[in-house]
Amino acid sequence: MSTEFATTTDVPTTSGAPTRRPAPGASDFARLSRRMAAEGLLDRRPLYYTVRFGLVLLAFAGGWYALFALGDTWLQLGLAAAMAVVFAQVALISHDLAHRQVFSRRLPSEIAGRVAANLLMGMSYGWWMNKHTRHHANPNHEERDPDVAPDILVWSKRQAREASGLARFIGRRQAYLFFPLLLLEGLNLSFNSFRALRSPTMKRPVLEGALLVAHFAAYFGAVFAALPAGKAVAFLAVHQALIGVYMGCVFAPNHKGMLMVTPGMKLDFLRRQVLTSRNVRGGPFVDTLMGGLNYQVEHHLFPSMPTPALGRAAEITRAFCEEEDIPYYEVGLLRSYREILGHLHRTGEPIREAR
């Protein structure tokens, strides 16, 4: 593999974006919101979510039935891969529930969210919602967005210069290690879910913990009941590894390689969300694969907007941004990964140069 990754020259990466100011008394976001509301794009879509949830739950139940029906065979590894997709779709459902795209009220959203995330997926709804809320408030902010904290990877050259320990070791070749590291993301989600139960910010830790324990007891119990130990371990390894890859491939294109917001940078709400987000083209297949998160600009502007409305919302937002001279960025799925790797390679330069 070459030591250089592609760079992108047309991705908005500086703060000098706004060239036209809103009219006095009316923000750009308020005017865009009125356009969305006029077309009913913020209205609930109960039929869509009923069908979507039903299909995912049917696939979920069918997968566990197939586990026992197939029996002692290495074909189970194919089922493990298929179930990784199903689990990731359950996680995407949890995401929509957390944003109240399905129910307008908090209580049914939390009940359904904990069932989907904790019980079916094995991920803490409360932990993830807390982290994701902070991300939405400050996307790609070097100091405030937990998704770009320099934990193992570094996301800016400033982070690279200050990196130490594991982040500094990995940062030298983090572009090459990005996809291999995603193989561990499923385990990382489970680890952080249990660790968060001790956090003072966790609501209902006993309930969340009980649901997580119930999930993993049923999960490990079913796999080891259906398969001999060797095949069971292989099934679990493939399943967890591919969950991590799928989740990483869905969420990484949304912001990685886009504008990094630094302390002191002044952006209004609309520009902060648009300039730090990347949309991914691809039609119905990509829409389904990414659960609508390929419309990341619109999702960040209107988090409670139902998934099926995002395509039309993208058309309106794209036109609005053109009117206001606001850079609006979208690429194909493969191009997005190429840009992510290029960004990771560039941000690791201070570590390589120091060495």
Side-chain angles (χ1 to χ4, degrees), residues 77-305:
L77 299 187
L79 177 63
M83 285 297 285
V85 174
V86 175
F87 269 53
Q89 288 294 322
V90 172
L92 291 172
I93 285 175
S94 305
H95 170 271
D96 290 4
L97 287 163
H99 282 296
R100 299 193 191 179
Q101 295 177 16
V102 185
F103 305 108
S104 59
R105 294 187 296 121
R106 177 184 59 82
L107 184 59
S109 298
E110 288 189 354
I111 293 174
R114 286 192 173 94
V115 170
N118 292 60
L119 189 60
L120 300 185
M121 169 71 184
M123 177 184 71
S124 168
Y125 175 84
W127 162 74
W128 181 86
M129 187 173 179
N130 178 277
K131 182 173 78 76
H132 198 61
T133 299
R134 288 184 286 131
H135 158 70
H136 266 262
N138 294 281
N140 264 19
H141 193 290
E142 276 191 310
E143 297 181 352
R144 298 176 183 174
D145 184 355
D147 288 354
V148 293
D151 185 9
I152 293 180
L153 302 176
V154 292
W155 301 103
S156 71
K157 290 188 175 182
R158 184 175 72 87
Q159 290 180 353
R161 286 189 289 269
E162 298 173 356
S164 60
L166 186 59
R168 188 171 186 83
F169 175 76
I170 291 178
R172 295 189 181 97
R173 288 290 181 266
Q174 61 181 10
Y176 298 105
L177 296 173
F178 177 70
F179 285 107
L181 285 171
L182 290 183
L183 295 169
L184 302 175
E185 183 60 22
L187 297 177
N188 185 50
L189 291 174
S190 299
F191 172 77
N192 283 316
S193 293
F194 278 103
R195 186 175 66 173
L197 296 177
R198 301 175 58 184
S199 171
T201 62
M202 172 66 75
K203 298 179 180 178
R204 298 180 176 82
V206 175
L207 174 60
E208 294 239 1
L211 291 173
L212 286 173
V213 170
H215 165 83
F216 283 103
Y219 176 65
F220 289 118
V223 174
F224 279 96
L227 301 173
K231 289 187 176 69
V233 171
F235 181 99
L236 294 171
V238 170
H239 185 235
Q240 289 297 317
L242 293 184
I243 286 176
V245 172
Y246 191 136
M247 297 289 287
C249 287
V250 167
F251 282 92
N254 301 339
H255 304 282
K256 304 301 185 280
M258 296 299 292
L259 169 72
M260 288 289 289
V261 180
T262 56
M265 188 179 292
K266 302 297 183 181
L267 294 171
D268 64 11
F269 175 78
L270 186 142
R271 287 163 177 81
R272 182 167 70 249
Q273 304 298 341
V274 173
L275 298 179
T276 59
S277 301
R278 174 196 289 109
N279 276 16
V280 178
R281 295 188 294 260
F285 174 75
V286 172
D287 291 357
T288 302
L289 186 74
M290 301 185 69
L293 294 182
N294 48 311
Y295 300 108
Q296 191 65 196
V297 171
E298 291 68 36
H299 171 61
H300 261 254
L301 290 171
F302 306 98
S304 64
M305 179 178 288

Side-chain angles (χ1 to χ4, degrees), residues 45-77:
R45 306 292 178 93
L47 179 60
Y48 165 82
Y49 281 109
T50 299
V51 173
R52 179 180 168 188
F53 286 14
L55 291 174
V56 172
L57 290 175
L58 184 63
F60 186 86
W64 291 117
Y65 172 80
L67 176 70
F68 288 91
L70 283 174
D72 185 1
T73 171
W74 288 108
L75 293 175
Q76 293 280 10
L77 299 187

